[in-house]
Amino acid sequence: DAKTTQPNSMESNEEEPVHLPCNHSTISGTDYIHWYRQLPSQGPEYVIHGLTSNVNNRMASLAIAEDRKSSTLILHRATLRDAAVYYCILRDVGNQFYFGTGTSLTVIP
Amino acid sequence: DSGVTQTPKHLITATGQRVTLRCSPRSGDLSVYWYQQSLDQGLQFLIQYYNGEERAKGNILERFSAQQFPDLHSELNLSSLELGDSALYFCASSVGPRGGKTGELFFGEGSRLTVL
């Protein structure tokens, strides 16, 4: 399974945008990029996923580099409820989700 | 609320004992996944069942076993428990065997196992 590299932790001020980076230099052509997050004392929840093009949904935006070797999850206005561990996962259709250790996001009031 | 139900929420037991964790998937989901989350290992994939059949195996110990019943609920059995088995155990479900159209998994709130 292709690996991803994320910073262990990041901080953001409340109501400011947050850019969470993920490097995946060994990504294959059929790997989708998924983002999940895990709020304290809860199970992980789906945030967004994409293959080649940038994606937007009600929770976040996903910006994918042209060479697909990196991506960035963008939270447009961080709230205290966005404090969580964010996981960037590469997954080929039919394969399993392998979670790394993710990025722990702290939101400062 | 993800729609995935796990019981019990907390469980304390002794080394050498056996426990069973239960998971009810979202209505209509045929796949069930089990994950283990310990402090030093992160989220580890254990096993997946689809419509009653084992679909994929991850880092599951031989002391652990699972099954999915005809009503689609699943049980994870942990035996000969060791201190290192203390962890959060998550169940997730999806519609199909491949994680659904969007690749989305729905996780329960987990069962916290403490082995003393």
Side-chain angles (χ1 to χ4, degrees):
Chain A
D1 302 287
K3 285 200 164 189
T4 63
T5 304
Q6 300 177 253
N8 288 334
S9 62
M10 290 185 65
E11 285 186 352
S12 173
N13 293 321
E14 193 177 10
E15 298 191 3
E16 289 187 358
V18 183
H19 291 237
L20 297 165
C22 181
N23 288 320
H24 29 79
S25 58
T26 60
I27 190 170
S28 74
T30 52
D31 281 332
Y32 282 77
I33 303 160
H34 294 259
W35 284 82
Y36 278 72
R37 71 179 186 180
Q38 187 173 16
L39 302 173
S41 302
Q42 294 189 26
E45 64 175 349
Y46 169 83
V47 177
I48 201 167
H49 82 291
L51 183 62
T52 55
S53 305
N54 294 344
V55 184
N56 299 296
N57 67 19
R58 64 175 180 82
M59 288 181 71
S61 296
L62 176 60
I64 301 173
E66 199 167 330
D67 63 4
R68 300 213 321 129
K69 293 186 176 182
S70 65
S71 60
T72 302
L73 178 71
I74 303 166
L75 307 179
H76 296 286
R77 285 186 67 199
T79 70
L80 296 178
R81 292 181 58 189
D82 291 322
V85 177
Y86 287 79
Y87 298 97
C88 170
I89 305 159
L90 298 184
R91 175 184 174 261
D92 197 353
V93 176
N95 289 348
Q96 297 308 315
F97 286 89
Y98 289 93
F99 291 73
T101 52
T103 297
S104 178
L105 176 66
T106 300
V107 180
I108 303 167
Chain B
D1 182 5
S2 66
V4 177
T5 304
Q6 290 189 245
T7 56
K9 287 194 180 344
H10 301 277
L11 190 55
I12 302 174
T13 188
T15 55
Q17 296 298 305
R18 172 190 171 95
V19 298
T20 297
L21 309 180
R22 182 188 168 104
C23 170
S24 294
R26 286 190 326 153
S27 177
D29 283 359
L30 299 179
S31 269
V32 170
Y33 308 74
W34 286 98
Y35 284 82
Q36 178 192 54
Q37 186 172 40
S38 52
L39 281 173
D40 57 347
Q41 292 283 334
L43 264 167
Q44 300 286 314
F45 167 67
L46 296 179
I47 198 164
Q48 178 201 355
Y49 279 82
Y50 174 71
N51 205 20
E53 300 290 326
E54 183 183 302
R55 175 81 180 184
K57 239 178 183 177
N59 301 320
I60 188 166
L61 299 173
E62 285 191 12
R63 299 183 286 110
F64 297 179
S65 64
Q67 54 183 326
Q68 187 180 26
F69 295 86
D71 67 353
L72 301 177
H73 90 271
S74 178
E75 293 181 356
L76 178 66
N77 300 297
L78 314 174
S79 61
S80 302
L81 285 167
E82 302 175 359
L83 296 177
D85 297 327
S86 295
L88 263 171
Y89 291 85
F90 286 103
C91 169
S93 72
S94 68
V95 171
R98 297 183 170 190
K101 185 179 178 183
T102 63
E104 185 173 355
L105 298 183
F106 296 88
F107 282 81
E109 294 191 351
S111 293
R112 182 175 293 281
L113 173 66
T114 302
V115 182
L116 300 176

